[in-house]
Amino acid sequence: CSSDLVLHGLRPNADFLHLYGPGSLWALAGTYRVFGVSLATERWFALLQQIGIVAATAGIARYWGRIAALTVGTLTILIVVPPIGLTALAWDGGVALIGLGLLVALEGRRRTRDGAPALGWALAAGLLFGLGLTFRLDLVVAATLAAAAATWGLGRATHRRLLVGAAIGVSPYLIHLATAGPVTVVRGMVLDPVVFLRGGRRLPVPPPWDRLDSILQRLGVEQLPRWPAPLSTPAQLALWFWLLLATIVLLLVVGALAVRRDRTRFEARALLAVGALSLGLLPQAVQRVDSAHLAWVSCVPVAFLPVALAETWRLLRPSTGGRSRIAICIASSLLLVTVVIPHYTVRIYADYTAQTFGQRRIAVPITHRGRLFYYGRPEVQNAAESLLARIEMVSRPGDRLFVGTSDLRKTPYSDAYLYYLLPDRPPATYFVEMDPGVANRDGSRMPDDLRSADIVVLSSIWKDWSEPNDSRRFGSLESSRVLARDFCVDGTFGDGIYQLLTRRPRGVPCPEGTRTPRPPGL
């Protein structure tokens, strides 16, 4: 939806909320320009990003042999695909570019051993690191640690080329600052995600052994098929958290010891660089401890677990045969992912595979004027299509559309897909994406946005949202007051799933056939 807005000339951070760098939006918007705006285009773009992550991890693992590359690549797939399927995420694109940057930097280091410094490789690596930061600025720690570990000791010329490449890669931020404005960029990329949003998204650390705190995970478990496992689903999540921490420590310690033992051994340096990258990714997993965030980090360190175990074995018993060592480490790593924590890896991947062949399809298609969107709750389909048809009757192209929650004091989500299905009704709000503590905070611009709307859609799909964080808190009442004063209820759809409101004629009661809204809290 956001990249579609970019095609219509809207600027992230200035015209609509976007918590990450502009690179992901620009890249997807460019893809839309070439291949057309569609769900299929977005899915192919997402697949390309995930292929980039797999290419990076498998490419680095290739230094330990083809079997290692195949194993690490397979583990990466089993970890990175299940959380949210083929969805174009800024995180995936950023990790793919920075992972490929690390691969290029390591290859440059390997080639440097044969003679003069491979300065072209350093320049290319820096460019990839910089481009990755245009997707997610918070990846700067991961990029810096990975680059430092991969190029340490290669000399000033290599480091200068690396920095030049990185400067070229991040240079699109100059365009973003000039078009959106420095103040709005800082607010949208720093203050909103770090200061205002964090309390409404954070989950307890470490995750509890006996329950799931994320509402999305609780609902997801209900929809998935039964899968035999020795541990419960919450226990698997808790174990996964500690496994991630232990794996990162293992990569760093074994990598450092291997470098210390033999500073000329390239594989030791590569393992240390992977550990440094993993350490830089770790804050993403800690800020919200659910399966998605754990997977977005684990796709690098946990995928490298068989290599880390093999290197540990090599340090402790260097005389042991290489093939048997690799086979045991690969088998133990695969068993860990497929038997100990399968509910977040192979179970979901197997379910996706079954859906590909028409089995157990839960998501339902919602279509409107040639555009298609799949929704994961079947009861929404008829309600949404009836709502869309009614919007066509009571509004005209160009009318401004506001999509929000049934209680605007709480904004944990937004059915932003409606903006995508109604491209000729421009968003009336900056908060196309709604987040707790951001859209509903005192002083937010949401009430002013609402005053500019011609039609309003309120959704109650997630009215029971409940997590142990600030998303449960009520925010400002001002938006509810605007609704009660300026709008009329035109109708409800799907037993209250959606409510459609139209602007009240100035100074007169709501027309016949409509009624005055009664927002919660008033």
Side-chain angles (χ1 to χ4, degrees), residues 316-353:
L316 298 176
R317 300 185 64 183
S319 60
T320 306
R323 289 188 176 182
S324 60
R325 179 173 68 239
I326 289 291
I328 293 174
C329 293
I330 287 174
S332 58
S333 300
L334 289 173
L335 283 173
L336 184 66
V337 172
T338 58
V339 175
V340 180
I341 56 170
H343 286 184
Y344 300 106
T345 53
V346 292
R347 177 173 69 162
I348 301 177
Y349 194 90
D351 187 53
Y352 284 162
T353 303

Side-chain angles (χ1 to χ4, degrees), residues 81-86 347-357 359:
V81 173
I84 202 166
L86 293 180
R347 177 173 69 162
I348 301 177
Y349 194 90
D351 187 53
Y352 284 162
T353 303
Q355 291 185 48
T356 301
F357 294 99
Q359 304 296 319

Side-chain angles (χ1 to χ4, degrees), residues 428-511:
T429 178
Y430 174 80
F431 302 102
V432 173
E433 169 191 347
M434 288 195 175
D435 295 292
V438 179
N440 63 333
R441 75 173 184 266
D442 290 331
S444 161
R445 60 181 282 183
M446 187 166 69
D448 290 334
D449 291 345
L450 194 54
R451 292 184 185 97
S452 74
D454 298 298
I455 47 176
V456 173
V457 175
L458 302 180
S459 170
S460 64
I461 294 173
W462 300 100
K463 65 180 179 180
D464 297 324
W465 185 284
S466 177
E467 292 184 345
N469 53 41
D470 291 346
S471 65
R472 297 176 296 183
R473 295 185 177 182
F474 290 114
S476 172
L477 260 174
E478 186 58 29
S479 294
S480 299
R481 295 192 179 101
V482 174
L483 278 179
R485 184 184 65 241
D486 296 345
F487 291 89
C488 301
V489 177
D490 181 82
T492 58
F493 306 85
D495 194 24
I497 290 178
Y498 290 115
Q499 187 177 65
L500 175 63
L501 296 88
T502 56
R503 177 162 291 281
R504 174 188 298 189
R506 186 178 298 273
V508 300
C510 288

Side-chain angles (χ1 to χ4, degrees), residues 74-319:
T74 300
L75 288 171
T76 302
I77 293 171
L78 290 176
I79 293 171
V80 79
V81 173
I84 202 166
L86 293 180
T87 302
L89 300 171
W91 178 265
D92 284 354
V95 171
L97 288 166
I98 289 174
L100 291 171
L102 177 58
L103 173 61
V104 172
L106 288 171
E107 183 62 19
R109 184 182 190 94
R110 188 181 69 84
R111 292 171 181 263
T112 297
R113 297 188 306 174
D114 300 330
L119 299 181
W121 291 87
L123 182 68
L127 179 63
L128 288 168
F129 285 134
L131 289 174
L133 297 182
T134 67
F135 279 59
R136 289 283 299 236
L137 185 60
D138 55 339
L139 284 169
V140 63
V141 176
T144 301
L145 291 176
T151 62
W152 189 268
L154 292 183
R156 293 183 178 180
T158 297
H159 293 148
R160 280 197 298 268
R161 289 294 181 94
L162 187 72
L163 290 174
V164 169
I168 297 172
V170 300
S171 61
Y173 272 115
L174 298 176
I175 301 174
H176 186 45
L177 289 168
T179 55
V183 174
T184 56
V185 169
V186 171
R187 181 197 64 209
M189 294 178 55
V190 179
L191 295 181
D192 282 343
V194 176
V195 178
F196 300 118
L197 171 63
R198 192 55 48 222
R201 294 296 190 211
R202 185 182 293 112
L203 295 174
V205 178
W209 193 262
D210 58 348
R211 71 177 189 274
L212 294 173
D213 288 326
S214 167
I215 185 172
L216 298 177
Q217 286 184 214
R218 294 198 296 269
L219 293 173
V221 167
E222 296 173 1
Q223 295 178 335
L224 288 170
R226 295 181 62 85
W227 192 277
L231 296 174
S232 67
T233 299
Q236 289 182 44
L237 185 74
L239 182 62
W240 188 0
F241 173 77
W242 293 110
L243 171 66
L244 173 61
L245 296 182
T247 303
I248 293 175
V249 171
L250 182 67
L251 286 166
L252 289 170
V253 171
V254 174
L257 291 175
V259 170
R260 184 177 180 181
R261 171 174 289 186
D262 185 356
R263 295 182 180 275
T264 64
R265 184 166 175 264
F266 173 77
E267 290 82 356
R269 178 70 61 173
L271 188 69
L272 181 60
V274 170
L277 172 62
S278 303
L279 180 63
L281 298 176
L282 183 59
Q284 175 75 352
V286 176
Q287 67 175 355
R288 180 175 171 84
V289 189
D290 62 10
S291 59
H293 288 74
L294 289 179
W296 293 336
V297 175
S298 298
C299 64
V300 176
V302 175
F304 262 87
L305 183 57
V307 175
L309 293 175
E311 284 291 324
T312 303
W313 197 330
R314 187 178 188 277
L315 283 173
L316 298 176
R317 300 185 64 183
S319 60

